[in-house]
Amino acid sequence: AMDLFNAAVLDRAGVRYGSVVTRSRPPGLRTTLAAGFDPGAQAIHAIYGAIYRVSATTPPAETPRLDAAQRRALLAAYGKVPSPRANDGIVPTRSQVHGRVIAAVRADHLDTIGHFNDPSTNPPHFDWLTTGTGFDRADFESVWERVLDFALASHPR
């Protein structure tokens, strides 16, 4: 579906494009332990494991190519360029890249929009996907400060 969309929609001249890229840990013993002993968290983690595996099936030939700056940003964030199998539990990581990489973080698909575990807030907030990324309020604020900086930066014409 995205191939059809991308073929039909071109970037508009004069518009800067940027992306927030997320990558979660592959499900396994480490992420299962990070979910803790709560049966609800373990059930959600099992669902995460299933959808992660489905998202990891993108054929390498269908993985978008990265330009040099995008490649450097992912390398700096993750220590290596993510493989075509890497994803955030919903979307392949490399498929999220469009334009400048504003931020590349270890997070699941919902963390960066505010659905991360933060029981200290009132009312308490609980994670929708139990992935063991460790994404927290400080990470959330850092990502959105970078998005704001990108949005407010002047763009030479």
Side-chain angles (χ1 to χ4, degrees), residues 10-17 157:
L10 301 176
D11 288 352
R12 184 176 175 157
V15 174
R16 290 179 308 129
Y17 293 88
R157 296 193 183 243

Side-chain angles (χ1 to χ4, degrees), residues 68-150:
Q70 293 165 338
R71 188 172 283 284
R72 281 192 304 274
L74 296 182
L75 182 63
Y78 302 124
K80 64 180 182 177
V81 175
S83 77
R85 294 182 50 81
N87 66 81
D88 65 3
I90 305 289
V91 178
T93 298
R94 287 171 47 180
S95 293
Q96 300 170 36
V97 178
H98 186 80
R100 187 174 132 210
V101 176
I102 300 168
V105 294
R106 290 199 183 271
D108 66 52
H109 194 74
L110 299 172
D111 286 338
T112 58
I113 60 170
H115 299 292
F116 54 88
N117 192 41
D118 189 3
S120 67
T121 61
N122 187 14
H125 183 84
F126 301 100
D127 207 354
W128 286 14
L129 269 180
T130 306
T131 60
T133 65
F135 192 86
D136 60 16
R137 177 154 304 279
D139 295 320
F140 178 80
E141 290 175 0
S142 174
V143 166
W144 286 100
E145 285 173 10
R146 288 153 69 184
V147 170
L148 180 61
D149 289 345
F150 177 80

